[in-house]
Amino acid sequence: MKKMGMQLLCGMFAAALLLSGCSSSQSGQSGSGSGGEGVGNTQGEQVELIMYSWRPEDKKAYEKFIAAFEKENPTIKVTFKPFKSTEYNTILTNTLTSGTGADIVQLRPYQGTKTMADAGYLVPLDDVKGVSDIQQAYLDAARGSDGNVYGVPLFLNNGVIFYNKQVFEENNVQVPQTWDEFLDVSKQLQSKGIVPVAQSGKAAYLLSMTHSVIGTTAYGGNDFVEKALKGEVNLKDPAFIQSIQRMADMESFFPKDFIGIDDKDAQALFLTGKAAMYINGSHRLQTFEKNNPDLPLDVIPTFAAEKGGTTPMTTWVDGSFGVVKSSKHQEEAKKFMEFLASKEFGQMYSDELNRVSAISGVVPKHPLVKKMTELTEKSNTPYLMLVHFGDGTPTTKTTFENALQGMYIDQLTVEQVADEAQKSADKWFTPQK
Amino acid sequence: MTTLEKGTEVKMTRPAARKRGYKKHLVHLFLLPAMIFYVGFQVYPIFTAFLNSFYSWDGMQRDQFVGLENFVRLFTESPFQEMFANAFGHNVIFFIGTVVSKMVIAFLLALLINSKIRGKEFFKTVIFLPKLLSVIVVGFLFSLILNPTYGALNTFLSFIGLESLTRPWLGSPDTALYTIILVNSWYGLGFAVLIFLAGLQAIPSEIYEAAKIDGASGLRMLFRITIPMAMPSIMVMTILTFIGSFETFELIFAMQGSAAGPYYSTDVLATYFYRLAFGTVEGGESIGLGSALAIVLVLIIASATAAMLFFFKRKEFEQ
């Protein structure tokens, strides 16, 4: 028995040694993964940059971009490491706080970047070539509280009304240009058994997205945004309440029980021609074309308040790339940032992924992306809740969209939705001087 | 079991006792790997959560020590206090609903299986099967079944002419929480049946035979013998159901997301904690407040469980 005990003890000791061996080799790996080889790049020595992103779907495209960069910079190797979007924030926080793992990171726009920049985890990029040529409004998505730029904006998202041209033609109705026309057309479509707008309400963020598209001409677009930022008006202003009223008025044109259906179900309605319109970000174009390349798609930015009125395109920066302060290869990472800020990359990105690039002067290949780019350049307005009301615990944006959900299930009135949002903003919002 | 151990101890010689003492310590060594995992993944997180609840932590890093401020904000500040009350209320409904739907049905099924019916083992397996699935899979499956447009349930109801009963089960605040409670009960039914069955099988058959001779009716035997004698298993199940109801998270998260919609109508303390601590994709997280809520949740579960244990123990003595 004693012998057996000793044998077991020896066995456990060996196992412990083996385990510690494993863990040390693992930490060795992660050390090199962080680009932590210790020294900067001496001539000829290859440096590896690890790049984190929340877009596993775009891996192939990124490999192309990186190949183009590496061709011009043979001493720098970039490894693209994407993570699931829903888990990305936690992974990013862990990477930044531990100072290991990545050299270049994809940053959530606006408040997301600000939090990380303010905590001192990122390198300012104002002096990187090409950054100052990017539109100031887009750079706002990647600024810290100190006003410095900490990320190179990647692409713009537009909130748009997608519509199925064929459905409109077959049912003999005109594509609505104004809010009143929309109400008329929707009634006509509905009488013919077509769902006017394929909207899902299960995830509340979809509601604030729709509000940003159809609400902007109700509250007065950029004029209202400017006044709200200065504190001259707030979210309880009649104009803003009017924009929420539009959301309430649209309810009858949404699918039956839309609060219980997923966005995927709503997309399916639109893809199969059972619904005429679908309101969401321009990034959905990729999804639609993948699922049904023959879908006769077109977009309009929003419904004008009256005939001939303005139709600004709701625009926001979807994400940017920044350089991690603890990276041992900041100079090389900045070189990559220079590449990201170049027109060459912007063009490649737009062509490859059918997105609206944040880099000026890019002419997209895809006719719809081209149309959206032109409309954005002509007149644009921010996604108010995301760009300016994304702060607070919970964020005012979250409070607002959940309140919209509450309105649809008859728990809140239109005015109460505005009240809830303003109460949340009151806790943190300070007007600009 | 106990008499056997006692017997062996009496006959032990001195060197043998010493050897046994040494072996007793060796046994502790075997606990080490489990202990390391336990401390690393259970004790340490609880300890850090406790610590974090006294700090402000709204951005990326822990900020300054704020004492009890997080707890005070949780119960006095809007919207936190309303959200807490709403979520706590739902936890209570979840507990009561689960007791009614899961425990009562499970007890009846256990009675049935314990009686002399054919295919006992088959029923036991079928009832226990759902438990083998992952909660996330169950959540996903039921989201499909309950889908208002193409879900199997509404399609079936329409098919049999009960169209008036179709509704957005998860999309209406009137039905969403109760629907999830029922799904949860379906999922946990097998385990409850097993526990009750073990309790029922432990009742000596002589008692029933004696009662039968005395002319006791079936119902009388149920209330006078079966239920009182199965009380220990009912007690275990009630406490486990309570803990499960107050910790419930996965199913709601899988079916309704962290927002526990529509408009917080399925929100419970754990989903509220998740939103508070981790925010949304866009931000809004507060680890400090979240940790405070986690501590409150632990206190609620621990004190209520202790109270229930005390109550049941007293009941046992009374018998």
Side-chain angles (χ1 to χ4, degrees), chain B:
Chain B
M1 272 282 275
T2 11
T3 50
L4 202 93
E5 270 171 24
K6 270 179 192 163
T8 44
E9 217 160 292
V10 172
K11 280 182 185 160
M12 221 177 248
T13 56
R14 233 159 202 267
R18 203 183 301 144
K19 196 170 160 186
R20 191 172 178 264
Y22 154 75
K23 260 175 51 194
K24 218 160 85 186
H25 290 298
L26 191 70
V27 162
H28 292 148
L29 209 62
F30 284 95
L31 286 176
L32 206 66
M35 278 300 282
I36 291 170
F37 278 105
Y38 180 70
V39 171
F41 293 106
Q42 294 274 336
V43 180
Y44 178 70
I46 291 175
F47 176 73
T48 46
F50 183 71
L51 215 62
N52 290 337
S53 66
F54 298 108
Y55 284 84
S56 74
W57 184 346
D58 287 347
M60 289 194 65
Q61 292 154 308
R62 197 162 82 182
D63 212 4
Q64 60 208 32
F65 182 80
V66 292
L68 290 172
E69 197 192 292
N70 285 331
F71 293 91
V72 173
R73 284 182 73 194
L74 214 53
F75 291 107
T76 57
E77 199 180 303
S78 184
F80 307 125
Q81 53 173 350
E82 293 92 342
M83 289 229 182
F84 183 88
N86 176 53
F88 181 81
H90 291 158
N91 276 113
V92 174
I93 295 173
F94 207 97
F95 172 57
I96 297 170
T98 313
V99 167
V100 173
S101 60
K102 183 178 82 180
M103 285 182 55
V104 172
I105 295 173
F107 195 78
L108 294 174
L109 282 171
L111 279 177
L112 201 70
I113 292 172
N114 198 38
S115 67
K116 286 170 192 157
I117 57 154
R118 263 206 258 169
K120 258 187 219 184
E121 287 307 311
F122 172 76
F123 287 120
K124 227 159 63 176
T125 314
V126 166
I127 293 167
F128 194 72
L129 268 181
K131 196 75 192 168
L132 300 178
L133 295 170
S134 141
V135 194
I136 299 296
V137 173
V138 171
F140 178 67
L141 282 177
F142 272 91
S143 298
L144 293 179
I145 294 170
L146 299 164
N147 185 298
T149 29
Y150 58 77
L153 181 62
N154 279 355
T155 313
F156 175 73
L157 287 173
S158 309
F159 180 72
I160 58 167
L162 291 174
E163 201 152 5
S164 59
L165 286 183
T166 61
R167 59 202 67 229
W169 299 99
L170 295 171
S172 156
D174 303 328
T175 50
L177 185 64
Y178 299 105
T179 307
I180 295 176
I181 291 172
L182 286 177
V183 174
N184 184 59
S185 297
W186 172 82
Y187 176 65
L189 195 67
F191 181 68
V193 169
L194 281 194
I195 298 273
F196 288 143
L197 206 56
L200 293 178
Q201 281 166 353
I203 304 172
S205 55
E206 295 86 356
I207 300 181
Y208 288 111
E209 281 158 20
K212 251 184 221 165
I213 293 165
D214 289 344
S217 69
L219 215 58
R220 202 177 161 87
M221 281 199 280
L222 175 70
F223 286 105
R224 288 300 171 117
I225 302 170
T226 315
I227 292 177
M229 300 269 311
M231 214 45 186
S233 61
I234 295 173
M235 176 187 99
V236 166
M237 215 43 238
T238 310
I239 291 173
L240 286 180
T241 302
F242 176 80
I243 296 172
S245 301
F246 272 77
E247 281 182 345
T248 189
F249 173 79
E250 298 97 323
L251 205 56
I252 296 172
F253 185 73
M255 293 169 88
Q256 305 289 67
S258 65
Y263 195 52
Y264 313 113
S265 61
T266 54
D267 201 18
V268 288
L269 288 173
T271 43
Y272 174 38
F273 156 77
Y274 183 89
R275 284 201 311 278
L276 209 48
F278 306 118
T280 57
V281 166
E282 288 120 14
E285 67 273 12
S286 170
I287 301 273
L289 277 170
S291 300
L293 179 59
I295 297 300
V296 171
L297 187 56
V298 168
L299 288 178
I300 292 172
I301 294 177
S303 52
T305 308
M308 273 196 278
L309 275 173
F310 180 73
F311 171 75
F312 281 122
K313 275 265 181 301
R314 249 188 31 191
K315 272 249 159 204
E316 238 171 68
F317 278 123
E318 276 168 16
Q319 278 173 20

Side-chain angles (χ1 to χ4, degrees), chain A residues 314-326:
Chain A
T314 302
T315 306
W316 70 99
V317 173
D318 196 79
S320 63
F321 276 107
V323 175
V324 180
K325 208 174 206 166
S326 62

Side-chain angles (χ1 to χ4, degrees), chain A residues 377-419:
Chain A
E377 280 167 4
K378 203 169 126 198
S379 163
N380 65 62
T381 187
Y383 179 174
L384 182 62
M385 281 294 148
L386 177 76
V387 175
H388 297 297
F389 288 93
D391 211 341
T393 302
T395 66
T396 300
K397 176 178 179 284
T398 311
T399 308
F400 175 66
E401 55 209 23
N402 281 317
L404 279 176
Q405 211 180 37
M407 174 183 85
Y408 287 124
I409 56 166
D410 302 325
Q411 306 270 313
L412 298 177
T413 62
V414 169
E415 287 76 18
Q416 280 170 330
V417 175
D419 260 11

